[in-house]
Amino acid sequence: MPEIVDRRALEIVLAEFGQQHLTRYWEELSDLEQASLAHQIELIDWPSLSRLVNDRGCEDDLEELTARAQPPRAITSVEFREPKVFAEAWDRGAAAISARKVAFVLTAGGQGTRLGFDHPKGMYPIGPVSKRSLFQILIEHARARSLQFAGCIPIYVMTSPQTDEATRAFLGE
């Protein structure tokens, strides 16, 4: 039986950090889903998260930023083979990394069962010689670009309930 959640207490915390939208669909959730969401909200270190956002120059209103957001121009593989297009994309990416406007979000919720691997797919050793894991290779690439362009690429790993514990333990090692 899920515990009864004090929605008002959650909303007070969320309002302090401008995150009230997280309970927008509260009434549509089952008691178990409400308890799970409340638990996830309680695990977030809101003051630290707020400092990270504010220290990165993100004072703009989120709705205003969202309204201005535009997807990057798509570049076809044929175009990308053109040296001028490649150089322009490379330069823009380098500038964005240097300006700390890039983050790496790794969606890592899947198990490797179809690979005959009983762990999260990111732990799968794909390095043909090194046997480095998919996680290690991707994270090393992000770190290398951070160093190459004197930037900082924060890495966020999104897991599922089934892979979270194993992924945290693996990355912790």
Side-chain angles (χ1 to χ4, degrees):
M1 182 87 182
E3 64 184 71
I4 296 174
V5 178
D6 183 357
R7 179 181 179 180
R8 292 195 201 289
L10 279 178
E11 289 176 338
I12 289 170
V13 171
L14 294 173
E16 183 179 346
F17 297 98
Q19 298 296 313
Q20 306 90 312
H21 63 278
L22 294 178
T23 58
R24 181 178 301 149
Y25 300 103
W26 186 264
E27 299 304 325
E28 296 176 26
L29 300 175
S30 69
D31 290 347
L32 185 59
E33 291 168 328
Q34 288 176 355
S36 176
L37 177 59
H39 179 68
Q40 291 173 51
I41 290 170
E42 289 166 356
L43 289 176
I44 296 171
D45 181 350
W46 293 104
S48 293
L49 182 60
S50 179
R51 277 192 307 278
L52 284 171
V53 169
N54 291 329
D55 288 349
R56 289 184 124 8
C58 297
E59 295 86 20
D60 294 329
D61 179 49
L62 183 58
E63 288 184 26
E64 191 267 327
L65 283 173
T66 304
R68 282 189 322 187
Q70 295 291 318
R73 182 179 79 76
I75 300 173
T76 66
S77 59
V78 172
E79 286 179 290
F80 202 66
R81 288 186 212 138
E82 295 177 27
K84 182 179 177 185
V85 173
F86 178 85
E88 179 186 321
W90 183 269
D91 291 345
R92 290 182 74 187
I97 292 169
S98 295
R100 297 180 176 220
K101 293 184 175 184
V102 173
F104 177 40
V105 178
L106 177 58
T107 54
Q111 290 281 50
T113 51
R114 286 181 288 188
L115 300 169
F117 188 69
D118 292 331
H119 304 285
K121 279 188 278 228
M123 293 170 56
Y124 193 74
I126 64 168
V129 175
S130 67
K131 302 295 183 208
R132 292 183 305 165
S133 71
L134 180 57
F135 282 143
Q136 184 175 355
I137 290 170
L138 292 171
I139 291 169
E140 284 175 355
H141 279 284
R143 187 169 191 282
R145 293 296 176 251
S146 288
L147 294 171
Q148 181 178 12
F149 300 116
C152 175
I153 301 175
I155 299 171
Y156 301 92
V157 181
M158 186 171 86
T159 63
S160 67
Q162 294 79 15
T163 63
D164 187 71
E165 187 176 326
T167 299
R168 285 176 186 269
F170 182 80
L171 294 175
E173 290 177 16

